[in-house]
Amino acid sequence: MAVQPLTESEIEDRLSALPAWRAVDDHLVRSYRLASHKAAAALVADVARVQDELDHHSDLTLGYDTVDVSVNTHSVGGRITALDVELADRIEELAARHDAH
C-alpha cells in the first residue's frame, strides 16, 4: 500500500502523543536543547542511524547545544505521513536517552 498524506485531524491526533512536536507548513518540527555541542552532535549521529534504518530522513540542523528537526514525506508532495510520525516518535525516544529537552 502506498504512503498517503495524513489529514489535519489525523496529524493533530498523532501529535497528541508527541506534545513538543508541531505541524508547520506541511512539516513536523521540533527543537531540542542539550548540555553541550558534543551532546547535540551525538544526538544527530543517533538520529542519522535511525533514519537509515527507516529509510526515511529528516532535515537536521546542529547548533552549539541545539538540534532542530524538520520532516515530511517527499514522495507525496512534501506532506506529512505516518512515516513522519514514526520517525518523530523514534527521535523522541533517542532524545530522552540524550537528556535533550
Side-chain angles (χ1 to χ4, degrees):
M1 181 196 249
V3 176
Q4 296 294 319
L6 297 175
T7 66
E8 290 297 320
S9 63
E10 289 172 323
I11 293 168
E12 287 177 23
D13 183 53
R14 297 200 186 185
L15 286 180
S16 67
L18 297 164
W21 287 79
R22 298 173 297 136
V24 178
D25 297 328
D26 287 324
H27 289 79
L28 293 183
V29 298
R30 168 80 154 92
S31 294
Y32 294 97
R33 182 167 299 277
L34 294 100
S36 67
H37 181 70
K38 185 176 179 181
L43 175 59
V44 167
D46 282 351
V47 169
R49 179 186 47 78
V50 167
Q51 291 179 143
D52 282 347
E53 286 174 13
L54 296 175
D55 193 26
H56 191 62
H57 300 84
S58 67
D59 291 326
L60 299 171
T61 303
L62 173 63
Y64 172 72
D65 62 353
T66 60
V67 176
D68 295 328
V69 183
S70 176
V71 63
N72 67 7
T73 303
H74 300 284
S75 64
V76 295
R79 304 276 307 278
I80 297 170
T81 69
L83 290 172
D84 304 309
V85 176
E86 179 182 0
L87 179 56
D89 187 54
R90 294 281 303 273
I91 292 171
E92 199 67 12
E93 292 172 8
L94 289 172
R97 288 187 227 147
H98 286 268
D99 293 324
H101 57 276

